Amino acid sequence: MASTPLTSTAEEKRAALRARLSSVAARDETAERYRRHANPYIARMLDGLGIDVHYVRGEGTRLYDGAGNEYLDFAGAYGALPFGHNPPEIWKAISAVRDSAEPSITLPSVLGASALLAERLAAVAPGHLDQVWQCNSGAEAVEAALKLARAATGRRRVVSTRNSFHGKTLGALSATGRPRYQAPFGAPSAGFHHIPFGDPEALRQIFGEHPEDIAAFIVEPVQGEGGIVPAPPGYLATARELCTRYGAKLIVDEVQTGLGRTGRLFACEHHDVVPDIMPLAKALGGGMVPIGAVVFGQDSLTEDFGLRHTSTFGGNAFCSRVGVGAVELLTADDRALVRQVARRGDHLLTGLREVASRHPELVADVRGQGLLLGVQLSDDPDLHARQGLFRSLADQEGLAGFLCGYLLRNEGVRLAPAYFANSVLRVEPPLNVSEGDCDTLLGALDRGLDVIERGDSARFFAHLLPASERPASERSASERSASERPAAAASPAEDASAAPRPTRLRPREGEPRWAFIAHPTDLASYESYDGRLGLPGEQVRVLFDRMNQCRNVDTAAAMLVGRCRVETDTGESSYGEIFALPYGAQRLLDMPSAQSTALVQEAVDDAVARGAQLVGLGAYTSVITANATALRDVPVPVTTGNAYTVAAAVDGLEEAARQQDIGLGEACCVVLGGAGAIGLASSLLLSEKVGRLVLVGNPANRARSERRLAAALESVVGHLMEADDAPHAGALARSVRTRASSDASARAIAADLVEQGLLTASVEAEAVLPAGDLVLAATSTPDQLIQPELVRRGAAVCDVSQPPNVGPRLKAARPDLRVVAGGLVQLPGGRDLGVDFGVPSGVTYACTAETMVLAHRLHDPVVSHGDKLSVDLVRMLRDEARKLGYRLYLPTDTDHQRQGGPHA
C-alpha cells in the first residue's frame, strides 16, 4: 500500500502536512454531513468500526482518500464492481451515449438499447431463458421474479431458505430468511415459507405438504449475506426436479453470483441446472450505474406480467448501454475474463486456506466459489482466554468487523463482513484483480490474524483512539508514510503465542446454569477489562464509546466477559456466563430509563436464550430496573445480588470495627444510602448491635428522601420490636425494647429515639459523617462522597457502593482508618474463576456470589427482588454461602486491592 511519500525539504513536509490536515477536516465535514442528513445509524457504525474513510478517487482495484493514501479494495461493493473502479471500457460506453445524443428515457416507445441488452443476455443465458425484463436493482429484479412466478402458476406460496438474502423491498424481504430484519417492516407477507438451506429432505417435505400451491422456490447458488455458503452438490438439481414435478417455478437468484463472479458466467452452470427465472444485477452495471434484470423463459411470461409490471426507469438507454458494455467485457475472447476469475479464485482460495492453516483455532472455515469467498472466524470466546475485547467480540460475532477496520487502517486493505454472518469476512474483489493483489491481501490478513492470535489488543484497536492518545508505533496507515509502515505486524505487547491454550468450558449435563450481568463501574474497571490495551481507564472508555456505535440488530446488548465453573466445598458445581453492558454507571444513569431498562431486558433475554436457569444483576443493572421489578416476562428467576451484599457488608463492617477496637454497643453507625434496598436491610441488622444509627439519603430530591428516611426509621424500630433478645444488643436495640413495653407505635418510638439522638435521618452527608464511628456506604450515586476531612479519627469504613463512594484520597490521607470494600467474598477453596473482576484471584463480589449460591436452589428459588429485602433472606443466604464454602474477604494493606470492578 502506498501513501503520501516522505519529502526531502521542510517546505514539502509542511505542504504534505497541510494537505493531510485539510483531508482530515474534509473527511470530518463529510462524515458529519452524512451523519446529519443521510443515515446517522450507518455513520455511527462506520465510525465505530474505523472504516469511515471518505474516498475521493478510484482506479481499478485501488481507492484513494483526500490525503492520497491508497487502499486495495477487496470488498468490491458486494459484487457490484466487476471491473474495478472507473473502468475505461465502461466510460467509453458512457461517452458513446453522450456523443450520440441518444435519448435515455422515452417511455412509452420501443426501447432500442434495452432491446439490445436483452438480446445479449438471452444469447448467453442458460437453456431456454430468452426473455429479459429490466429494472434498477437486484431487489426489484427479485420482486419481478416473484410476480412472474405467481402470475404464471396462479399460485401464491413462495418457498425460500433461512439465512438467505434476496433484497430489502417488501416482497424480496419476505423471501429473505432473517426474521430480525423482517419483523420491523411487517415481513414476511402472507404466503412465504423458509426452510433450511442445502437440505434436500426439507425441500421434499414442503413440496409434499403443499403439492399444488407452491408458486416458486427461490434460492441463491451461494448464500452471500448468510456467510458465503455454496449450495451442496446435488441440491439445485433436486430443487429443479421437484419444481418440475410439482409445477412450481425455480428462481435461482444470481444477483450477486451471476455474470462471472463464481468462475462461470452464471453460478447455476456449476450445477448443470437451468432455472425458470433468474434475477441479475450488481455486475450488470459495470461498477458504474444501477441496473437489474430478470431473465426467464417464455413459459413464465404472461399477459398480466407483460402489461401490468412496468418501470419508469427500467430499460433506460443510459444504463442499458452500460449493461451491454459489461456483457461484452465478460464474453470477450471466449469469456477470457470469466475463465481468469476461475484461476484467480483457485489461487485465492488456496492462499486463504494456507493462511487458515497457520491460524487453525482462529479461522473456523474458508469457503466459496470463484471470487466470492468467505473466511469464517471462530466465535469461541474461550480461544482468547483473558483477552477481554477479543473474547467479547468473538462471542458476539463482531471480531470480523473490527478486523476489517484494522486491515483498512493498518494494511490499507479493504474487506467487509457478510451482512447476516458477522463472523465471516467477505472476500469479493473486482473480477480483474491481479495475482499480486491477491497475494497482498493474503499477507495482510495473515498479519492481522497474527495480531489477534497474540492477543495484542493495544495494536489491534489503536486506530480507534484519537491520534494524540496513542504512540507513533500504533498510528494508523493513513497517518504514517510508506517508509514508516512495517512489513509485519510487530507488537509492543508481550507475545502470548506461547501461552497455554485456555480450557474450553462447557456446561455439564444436569449442572445448574447461571448468568451474571453488570457493567464497568468506574475508570479503574474500564482499565482492568483488557489489561493488554495498556491504556488508562479514560481512554478505554473512549474506545468503548466508539465501539458501542457498531451495535446492529444481530448484536447482543451485553458482551460476554467470561465463562466459569464454581466448585463448592460440598462437592457441587455450577456453570456460569458473565456479561457486561458496555456502558459506564454515569452513562446508564443519563440514559432515558426506558432505554437503559431495555438494554438490561435484552441482556437478560439473551442470557436465558443461551441456557441460563438463573440470572443475577450487578451494579446499576439492578438500580435502573428498580431492583429487577421493571423486567418483564423472564421465564427464570432474576436476583439483584442485594441480599448477600447486605450480609457481606454487615460482616465486613463488623470485622473492620473489631480491627479498630470499636465496641459496637455504644458506637455511632452512619449508613449512606440508608433508605435504599441494601442500606435499609443493612441498617436493620446493624441496629441490633450498635448504639446509635444515622441514615443518610439523597439530597437531590429532598422531600422524597425525607419521606423515605422517615419510613426507614420506622422500619428499624419495627424490626427491633420484633427481634429476639440478644446478649450483645446495642444501646439502640435496648432502648427500643424498653419503650416497646409501653404499647407505643413504631412511629412514636422512632420519633422519641430521634429526640434522644439514638436515631437520625439526614440528607446532608457532610453534616453527619464526622459523628460516625462506623460508616457504611451503600448508595447508588457515582460520586465519591466520603472525603478524608469528613471521617472521624480511628473510624471503620465499609464501602459496598458501585462505583465506590470511597476515593483513593481517603486511604492515602487517613492511615488511621480501616477502609474495606465490604462486598467482597472469597470463593470456595479460593479457586480462581479465570475472569478478571478487578479483584484478587479467588475473590468475587457478593452480588455475583449470590447468583452462584442461588444456582444451587433452583428446586426452591428464593431471590433478592424489589426494594424490600427480608432480613431472613439475608441470614439464609449467609448460612447457605458459608455451607458452600464462601467466606468474607478482607484484603490486607499489601493486597493492593482496588474498590470497584468491571462487573460488580
Side-chain angles (χ1 to χ4, degrees), residues 153 155 207 211 214-215 242-249:
T153 63
R155 303 170 179 178
F207 270 103
I214 294 178
L242 290 169
C243 286
T244 301
R245 184 196 310 174
Y246 290 100
K249 297 296 182 181

Side-chain angles (χ1 to χ4, degrees), residues 671-749:
V671 180
L672 301 177
I678 293 175
L680 177 56
S682 300
S683 299
L684 297 180
L685 290 171
L686 289 167
S687 69
E688 299 172 359
K689 298 182 179 181
V690 300
R692 296 172 54 205
L693 188 63
V694 180
L695 305 187
V696 182
N698 187 349
N701 189 333
R702 180 179 293 270
R704 178 175 181 270
S705 292
E706 288 176 348
R707 288 195 301 271
R708 294 184 69 198
L709 287 170
L713 295 182
E714 190 173 336
S715 296
V716 168
V717 173
H719 170 74
L720 291 176
M721 291 172 71
E722 296 178 359
D724 296 333
D725 290 338
H728 302 295
L732 175 60
R734 294 195 302 270
S735 296
V736 169
R737 291 193 186 106
T738 299
R739 289 167 171 79
S741 61
S742 65
D743 293 329
S745 67
R747 176 175 297 182
I749 294 174

Side-chain angles (χ1 to χ4, degrees), residues 45 92 173 291 391 407 538 648 667:
M45 182 192 71
K92 183 178 179 181
L173 185 61
I291 184 172
R391 176 180 53 205
L407 292 173
E538 179 59 40

Side-chain angles (χ1 to χ4, degrees), residues 780-902:
S780 57
T781 174
D783 301 327
Q784 294 179 356
L785 299 176
I786 305 178
Q787 297 299 321
E789 63 274 12
L790 298 177
V791 186
R792 168 175 282 189
R793 181 168 184 80
V797 180
C798 179
D799 187 6
V800 294
S801 303
Q802 290 299 332
N805 290 159
V806 169
R809 286 183 57 232
L810 187 68
K811 284 188 178 181
R814 296 292 305 276
D816 60 296
L817 304 178
R818 181 68 172 111
V819 182
V820 299
L824 297 178
V825 295
Q826 187 167 327
L827 291 159
R831 299 177 183 90
D832 182 19
L833 290 179
V835 179
D836 185 4
F837 279 96
V839 293
S841 174
V843 175
T844 193
Y845 289 90
C847 53
T848 316
E850 176 175 302
T851 309
M852 299 171 178
V853 170
L854 291 177
H856 299 290
R857 291 186 57 92
L858 294 175
H859 61 286
D860 181 22
V862 180
V863 297
S864 305
H865 192 270
D867 291 335
K868 302 296 183 181
L869 288 177
S870 161
V871 171
D872 291 338
L873 173 62
V874 173
R875 288 175 170 144
M876 182 275 288
L877 272 171
R878 176 190 282 158
D879 293 342
E880 289 276 330
R882 287 173 177 168
K883 180 181 71 174
L884 294 172
Y886 294 86
R887 298 289 184 271
L888 178 68
Y889 176 76
L890 291 174
T892 65
D893 292 337
T894 59
D895 279 335
H896 305 292
Q897 179 270 329
R898 64 169 180 80
Q899 297 183 51

Side-chain angles (χ1 to χ4, degrees), residues 549-625:
Q549 299 176 145
C550 301
R551 289 196 71 226
N552 60 43
V553 296
D554 282 335
T555 303
M559 302 185 298
L560 179 72
V561 173
R563 298 168 171 161
C564 57
R565 171 165 287 110
V566 182
E567 306 277 356
T568 71
D569 287 357
T570 59
E572 302 170 78
S573 71
S574 66
Y575 170 85
E577 294 185 333
I578 301 168
F579 303 88
L581 293 172
Y583 301 96
Q586 193 62 56
R587 287 285 303 279
L588 289 171
L589 287 179
D590 291 342
M591 285 182 187
S593 60
Q595 180 184 354
S596 58
T597 299
L599 284 172
V600 180
Q601 178 81 57
E602 184 180 343
V604 170
D605 292 343
D606 287 343
V608 173
R610 293 171 66 112
Q613 300 166 287
L614 168 77
V615 179
L617 303 181
Y620 280 27
T621 62
S622 58
V623 173
I624 60 182
T625 59

